[in-house]
Amino acid sequence: MLSASKEKLLSFLNGSSQYIIPFFQRSYVWKTENWAELWENILEEYNELNNNNFSEHFIGTIIIKQVLSQRVGATEYELIDGQQRLTTVCVLLRAFYDVTEEQSAKTWIKNFFTFVDSYGEENIRIKHSKVDTVNFQNIVQDKNGNNNLWNEYKDLKIEDLEKKIESISNIIGAYIYFRYRISKDCDIVDVRKYVNVIIERLPVIHMALNAEDDVQQIFDTINSLGVKLTTAELLKNHLYANKCVVDYYEDYWYSIFEADEDIIEFWNREKTSGRVRRTTVELFLYSYLVIIKEGNVKMETLFKEFKNYLNGKSDSELIAFAKELQEYAIVYQEMPDGENLSEISYKEHEKRFFHLIKEFDITTIFPLILFIYKNVQEIDERIAILKVLESYITRRTICKFTTKNYNNLFLSLLAETKQMSEISADSIKGRLLDYTEVTNKFPTNEEFKAAFGTSHLINKYSREVLYCIALYELDHAFADNPRLNFEGFSVEHIMPKNWIKNWKQLPEGIEADFRRHKLLTLGNLTLIRGKLNSSMRDSSWKKKKDALLKYSTLRQTTDYIHNEEWSENNIKEREDKLFDIAIKMWER
């Protein structure tokens, strides 16, 4: 490392200095909370300047590495860390440039985010890579009309503006946000003071690297110090730092993970994994590493485990790894996910399977499913496998068999599946039927039926079971719409838990403890839209059945509304009918 010192932003934004963001860097990710914090810092320093007080606000670190310039009249640097800050500052300076009409101020400000090289050509101060290039150039060089863009947003309230810019490019969003803040908070006559605050009173720690410094090591150090570089970013940098692999970056990484904003949004979408929120790309990388290692992988140390796995690999092995990673990523993108699961029909077997494992919180099965999707090309056979696994998981869930061994269970099944000469539903079902321990067994019909009438499932699981049954009951030729939107459904107890208030006395031979147990089972649960208020929820059967009819059109509700009474016998009758459907759906 050549040096480390405190520097004003002015030192980075003058002369012919140009900063090139390496291809392995993340895209621009700052959002409203980051822009708002920077803006508050600027306003504070502006007030201090007006009061003739010396003050500074440190905004982070910038790490650069000088490279051999490609043209005369420009001094080029790789921007190793700090691209989020410098990008934001350039967009903010462009916003100040656009709001002032004083020509001398415009000329002065423009020299901070652009420069003219020895050929008289104007260059932007930062050269972005890939997905951010066009948006950054459009804003900084005003290629599409910044004022016209601003006119679309200027009359919005701040809360509406912030909501609207969530759906557009972060770089464009930053420009609109700062235009709004300038219009509300600044006296534009003082534009020079605001710009002076930015370039003089927001210092950074400047670290300059020499040619021998290991950029990968710098990245690892930054990450260990708490800068949030994702596993994917670290893996990309580590893998493509190898000269033998770098030529494959466009085909094996960029085209899959970074080609456009929709792709980036897909991989950055968060999902629940256990009790923790994980991004889609993290879950994919976890699944892929489990497949190739055939061993347990810790999500918390995922990058470290990738490094250990790749350590000592030959050039050809690294290239093969990059290629296979790309192939599995393509498969992962094709698996049902996200918004596609909100409204489904019974016959959409793949979507129903992914909906079910999502609601049952079973993520440890993903490596097995990813391997199956990659290696079973016949769609009908793949669906047959999913049906087997859906039956296995659902029966175990309703029987309340433990899930603590699922990690090892699905890892073992993955290893056995990889050894199969032909992967099929029959071969996987045969292996599942061989299991005999409560930690892994496939519940029998007798166990399934007994649990159906006795298990108390959490509401989330009950809702999913009843939703699947509702899909089955809609699967006929006379249904106007066999699809059912999952959102908005809640589980309602037909006989209320607080039954003692308004329900008849216990039938002869029925104990209170038995009633309290029975009303929590599936035979007494149904799906309704919304939620009943407490008085309606606990009201007598005569009143409550009218409310149920109002809030539900599903057969699992309407088939029982006209009963004169609702007792344990009715719960048992309904339980048997629901079970007749369940055993057809989830065969053994």
Side-chain angles (χ1 to χ4, degrees):
M1 188 173 295
L2 289 175
S3 64
S5 60
K6 187 178 85 169
E7 296 282 355
K8 300 173 182 179
L9 286 176
L10 176 61
S11 65
F12 297 93
L13 303 176
N14 61 19
S16 60
S17 297
Q18 187 175 50
Y19 304 95
I20 302 167
I21 298 176
F23 71 86
F24 51 74
Q25 278 271 23
R26 72 175 80 184
S27 58
Y28 181 71
V29 297
W30 272 25
K31 291 185 177 292
T32 304
E33 59 269 23
N34 309 106
W35 307 326
E37 183 179 358
L38 177 63
W39 185 249
E40 289 302 318
N41 295 338
I42 291 169
L43 293 184
E44 288 175 13
E45 293 305 321
Y46 172 79
N47 291 331
E48 293 294 331
L49 179 62
N50 275 345
N51 292 326
N52 296 317
N53 295 327
F54 175 76
S55 177
E56 293 179 321
H57 195 102
F58 171 72
I59 62 168
T61 302
I62 291 178
I63 302 177
I64 60 175
K65 182 176 182 178
Q66 188 166 356
V67 296
L68 183 63
S69 295
Q70 299 299 309
R71 63 187 184 281
V72 178
T75 307
E76 296 180 344
Y77 301 89
E78 275 194 341
L79 185 54
I80 306 302
D81 185 51
Q83 67 130 320
Q84 306 291 328
R85 298 176 189 87
L86 279 188
T87 298
T88 305
V89 166
C90 285
V91 171
L92 174 55
L93 289 170
R94 178 73 215 199
F96 274 115
Y97 174 93
D98 287 339
V99 299
T100 183
E101 296 181 358
E102 187 182 341
Q103 194 55 48
S104 60
K106 279 182 172 292
T107 302
W108 177 63
I109 296 170
K110 191 172 187 179
N111 287 331
F112 297 129
F113 56 80
T114 65
F115 69 94
V116 176
D117 63 20
S118 62
Y119 298 97
E121 295 179 358
E122 183 180 274
N123 297 266
I124 54 177
R125 188 70 67 182
I126 302 175
K127 288 183 68 175
H128 268 271
S129 61
K130 309 307 178 186
V131 73
D132 289 326
T133 301
V134 173
N135 287 326
F136 187 70
Q137 288 177 345
N138 285 345
I139 291 296
V140 172
Q141 296 184 313
D142 195 14
K143 290 190 173 183
N144 292 334
N146 288 346
N147 287 327
N148 291 334
L149 173 67
W150 166 237
N151 286 336
E152 297 178 24
Y153 295 85
K154 67 179 183 180
D155 296 325
L156 296 176
K157 295 180 180 179
I158 182 62
E159 57 269 21
D160 295 328
L161 179 137
E162 289 180 354
K163 186 175 181 180
K164 194 169 182 179
I165 61 179
E166 286 179 359
S167 61
I168 62 177
S169 156
N170 289 341
I171 287 177
I172 297 174
Y175 177 80
I176 294 166
Y177 177 85
F178 287 124
R179 281 293 298 262
Y180 187 90
R181 291 267 57 108
I182 292 169
S183 70
K184 298 297 182 182
D185 301 336
C186 297
D187 181 354
I188 206 58
V189 174
D190 265 358
V191 64
R192 286 181 174 83
K193 280 191 178 180
Y194 289 106
V195 172
N196 188 65
V197 164
I198 295 169
I199 63 176
E200 295 279 356
R201 296 198 172 209
L202 302 178
V204 297
I205 295 299
H206 171 208
M207 302 171 72
L209 307 181
N210 59 36
E212 291 74 35
D213 283 324
D214 186 344
V215 174
Q216 172 63 45
Q217 187 178 29
I218 298 296
F219 256 65
D220 290 352
T221 302
I222 293 170
N223 198 51
S224 68
L225 293 174
V227 177
K228 293 182 179 180
L229 299 173
T230 68
T231 300
E233 290 161 347
L234 292 166
L235 175 61
K236 175 179 66 171
N237 184 37
H238 180 75
L239 178 61
Y240 289 94
N242 295 278
K243 293 182 179 179
C244 66
V245 190
V246 71
D247 289 342
Y248 298 92
Y249 167 73
E250 291 282 344
D251 291 335
Y252 291 170
W253 188 280
Y254 174 73
S255 64
I256 302 303
F257 297 104
E258 299 173 345
D260 57 50
E261 291 180 358
D262 289 339
I263 288 176
I264 292 172
E265 192 276 331
F266 168 81
W267 288 113
N268 287 336
R269 192 179 301 151
E270 289 191 338
K271 300 179 180 180
T272 300
S273 175
R275 297 180 180 178
V276 181
R277 300 287 292 175
R278 303 287 187 187
T279 60
T280 299
V281 72
E282 284 180 302
L283 292 174
F284 161 67
L285 292 174
Y286 161 81
S287 298
Y288 175 65
L289 190 56
V290 169
I291 290 170
I292 59 178
K293 283 186 63 176
E294 291 186 24
N296 286 315
V297 171
K298 292 182 179 179
M299 189 72 81
E300 295 75 16
T301 56
L302 190 54
F303 173 59
K304 182 179 179 181
E305 297 207 36
F306 267 111
K307 282 184 66 176
N308 291 339
Y309 176 80
L310 294 174
N311 186 37
K313 291 282 192 289
S314 66
D315 289 357
S316 61
E317 287 173 326
L318 290 174
I319 294 170
F321 170 86
K323 184 176 188 296
E324 187 180 61
L325 181 70
Q326 175 240 25
E327 292 171 349
Y328 268 100
I330 292 173
V331 172
Y332 195 93
Q333 285 178 304
E334 295 173 350
M335 291 161 60
D337 178 59
E339 295 179 358
N340 293 329
L341 303 180
S342 61
E343 183 174 293
I344 59 178
S345 68
Y346 178 75
K347 282 190 168 66
E348 294 177 291
H349 301 289
E350 290 179 279
K351 289 185 178 181
R352 194 179 73 240
F353 173 80
F354 282 92
H355 191 282
L356 186 135
I357 62 174
K358 172 176 173 283
E359 294 302 311
F360 284 172
D361 295 322
I362 300 173
T363 57
T364 51
I365 198 173
F366 268 97
L368 172 63
I369 301 304
L370 179 58
F371 181 79
I372 289 169
Y373 263 73
K374 174 73 162 54
N375 293 279
V376 179
Q377 305 302 320
E378 176 57 47
I379 294 177
D380 288 343
E381 190 62 46
R382 186 194 299 165
I383 289 174
I385 293 171
L386 296 183
K387 286 182 178 180
V388 170
L389 293 171
E390 180 183 339
S391 294
Y392 177 75
I393 291 167
T394 305
R395 284 183 177 231
R396 286 186 59 86
T397 300
I398 292 175
C399 290
K400 301 192 76 171
F401 287 174
T402 181
T403 62
K404 290 182 179 178
N405 190 50
Y406 274 8
N407 191 41
N408 292 327
L409 166 65
F410 293 125
L411 185 60
S412 174
L413 189 57
L414 169 64
E416 292 175 292
T417 303
K418 291 178 74 173
Q419 296 302 315
M420 293 176 182
S421 57
E422 182 179 354
I423 304 170
S424 68
D426 287 341
S427 59
I428 290 176
K429 181 191 289 187
R431 190 66 197 98
L432 293 174
L433 290 174
D434 286 341
Y435 295 149
T436 57
E437 302 295 327
V438 71
T439 55
N440 57 18
K441 70 181 296 187
F442 201 147
T444 64
N445 290 347
E446 292 74 19
E447 290 170 321
F448 188 32
K449 182 172 178 59
F452 211 87
T454 57
S455 288
H456 297 170
L457 304 179
I458 63 173
N459 269 13
K460 184 180 175 77
Y461 297 170
S462 297
R463 184 169 72 148
E464 182 62 17
V465 171
L466 293 170
Y467 175 69
C468 291
I469 290 174
L471 292 179
Y472 182 91
E473 290 186 309
L474 283 172
D475 185 38
H476 57 82
F478 304 104
D480 293 332
N481 181 10
R483 300 169 69 84
L484 197 60
N485 195 308
F486 183 70
E487 300 303 320
F489 275 124
S490 64
V491 175
E492 178 64 26
H493 295 75
I494 299 176
M495 179 186 291
K497 289 189 283 185
N498 196 15
W499 58 272
I500 202 164
K501 279 185 176 182
N502 298 307
W503 288 61
K504 293 180 179 179
Q505 292 187 351
L506 289 164
E508 186 176 348
I510 300 295
E511 298 290 336
D513 284 347
F514 178 75
R515 169 166 284 189
R516 281 191 288 268
H517 167 81
K518 199 64 180 176
L519 64 81
L520 297 175
T521 61
L522 287 165
N524 189 54
L525 305 179
T526 195
L527 293 180
I528 65 170
R529 289 289 184 187
K531 291 186 178 181
L532 302 180
N533 60 45
S534 58
S535 62
M536 191 62 70
R537 187 186 309 130
D538 297 335
S539 63
S540 66
W541 171 238
K542 184 177 180 180
K543 293 181 179 179
K544 185 166 185 177
K545 62 183 182 179
D546 292 335
L548 291 174
L549 188 58
K550 179 181 177 182
Y551 283 87
S552 179
T553 59
L554 302 178
R555 284 191 57 191
Q556 61 184 249
T557 305
T558 58
D559 282 357
Y560 304 93
I561 288 300
H562 301 295
N563 286 23
E564 290 297 322
E565 62 175 4
W566 191 258
S567 66
E568 286 71 15
N569 290 334
N570 302 108
I571 293 174
K572 180 65 171 66
E573 178 188 352
R574 183 172 178 272
E575 166 196 313
D576 290 341
K577 290 183 178 180
L578 294 179
F579 178 75
D580 288 342
I581 295 172
I583 202 167
K584 292 174 185 175
M585 294 174 60
W586 299 304
E587 298 176 350
R588 190 171 186 269

